[in-house]
Amino acid sequence: GQQVMQIPQYQHVQEGEDFTTYCNSSTTLSNIQWYKQRPGGHPVFLIQLVKSGEVKKQKRLTFQFGEAKKNSSLHITATQTTDVGTYFCVINSGGYQKVTFGTGTKLQVIP
Amino acid sequence: EAQVTQNPRYLITVTGKKLTVTCSQNMNHEYMSWYRQDPGLGLRQIYYSMNVEVTDKGDVPEGYKVSRKEKRNFPLILESPSPNQTSLYFCASSFHPQALPDTQYFGPGTRLTVL
């Protein structure tokens, strides 16, 4: 099936610093979703991107879909301790029924 | 309250002893799916179901079975569990994946240990 690489695997930042995680695919994607999983919790949907070059913002979070629809990024401005967790990009294949998660980026925010 | 429930939340069992993990959603969602989560590997899809009596394999179906006899329930069956199936399992549902991929709502997870 389709594969997606997510980097970095881990990131430690001081509270107030920015954070970015990247998702890369070797094939053109129809869409990409981002989920967040808090420690001990379950994945929670954040956003979906569909259009080439699309940029969406949610408060301090900025999501971008590459022009070629092969990569995506999630940027957090001025991290807070509430941002702690693992961020996953998710792609769909097989008519949207099959789902592939990226390996995730675990964010730790140091107060 | 709209939710996905899983039972049990924690289970320790022994190799070869059949077990079932239940999953139920109260949102009238058509699509349901099972994932396993292992350190460094993210979540991997085991099986999914588009609707009642319609199921299909995900990326890691070996050693698992599912059924979808009712819209709200999607149990995961391990006929003969092995230690390599020790993992954290999540069930998820979404409204209708035929259009654009839809938001998936996840259950709280089931931590399974097979000795």
Side-chain angles (χ1 to χ4, degrees):
Chain A
Q2 281 190 290
Q3 293 187 333
V4 57
M5 299 299 296
Q6 195 171 347
I7 55 170
Q9 191 173 0
Y10 301 97
Q11 184 86 57
H12 291 76
V13 299
Q14 286 288 144
E15 189 172 16
E17 290 182 340
D18 292 356
F19 159 76
T20 305
T21 174
Y22 301 91
C23 210
N24 296 297
S25 170
S26 58
T27 59
T28 302
L29 304 171
S30 57
N31 67 289
I32 194 161
Q33 297 178 334
W34 286 91
Y35 285 75
K36 176 184 178 181
Q37 183 179 24
R38 294 183 186 274
H42 57 272
V44 175
F45 175 80
L46 293 176
I47 206 92
Q48 175 166 265
L49 304 171
V50 178
K51 299 175 184 176
S52 168
E54 187 171 17
V55 178
K56 287 188 176 181
K57 294 191 176 185
Q58 289 180 351
K59 298 182 180 178
R60 293 177 296 103
L61 278 62
T62 301
F63 304 84
Q64 188 162 4
F65 204 5
E67 292 289 342
K69 299 182 75 173
K70 288 186 175 182
N71 56 71
S72 180
S73 64
L74 158 58
H75 179 82
I76 302 178
T77 303
T79 54
Q80 300 175 358
T81 54
T82 53
D83 296 325
V84 165
T86 302
Y87 293 85
F88 293 98
C89 59
V90 177
I91 64 174
N92 298 84
S93 60
Y96 302 131
Q97 299 96 330
K98 295 195 75 171
V99 175
T100 300
F101 274 71
T103 48
T105 295
K106 189 172 184 179
L107 173 64
Q108 185 63 261
V109 179
I110 305 163
Chain B
E1 180 190 353
Q3 60 182 348
V4 178
T5 56
Q6 294 179 227
N7 282 291
R9 294 289 312 280
Y10 303 90
L11 179 61
I12 300 174
T13 188
V14 295
T15 299
K17 186 176 181 182
K18 181 179 178 179
L19 66 92
T20 299
V21 183
T22 65
C23 173
S24 183
Q25 50 92 6
N26 62 0
M27 296 171 278
N28 201 36
H29 284 171
E30 294 187 1
Y31 181 91
M32 298 186 74
S33 184
W34 275 103
Y35 300 87
R36 61 177 290 173
Q37 183 173 25
D38 302 290
L41 297 176
L43 282 82
R44 293 178 292 168
Q45 193 174 37
I46 302 171
Y47 268 96
Y48 60 91
S49 170
M50 297 287 290
N51 213 324
V52 175
E53 302 293 358
V54 181
T55 64
D56 210 342
K57 297 177 180 179
D59 289 328
V60 289
E62 295 78 19
Y64 304 95
K65 285 176 58 178
V66 293
S67 68
R68 188 90 180 275
K69 293 184 171 59
E70 304 167 282
K71 198 172 187 179
R72 64 182 293 127
N73 297 322
F74 191 44
L76 179 69
I77 303 156
L78 284 72
E79 296 268 2
S80 183
S82 62
N84 63 14
Q85 293 178 298
T86 292
S87 188
L88 178 58
Y89 291 87
F90 287 102
C91 179
S93 72
S94 64
F95 178 62
H96 192 226
Q98 294 289 4
L100 275 179
D102 203 355
T103 302
Q104 288 196 74
Y105 295 87
F106 283 80
T110 295
R111 188 165 292 281
L112 172 66
T113 301
V114 183
L115 303 174

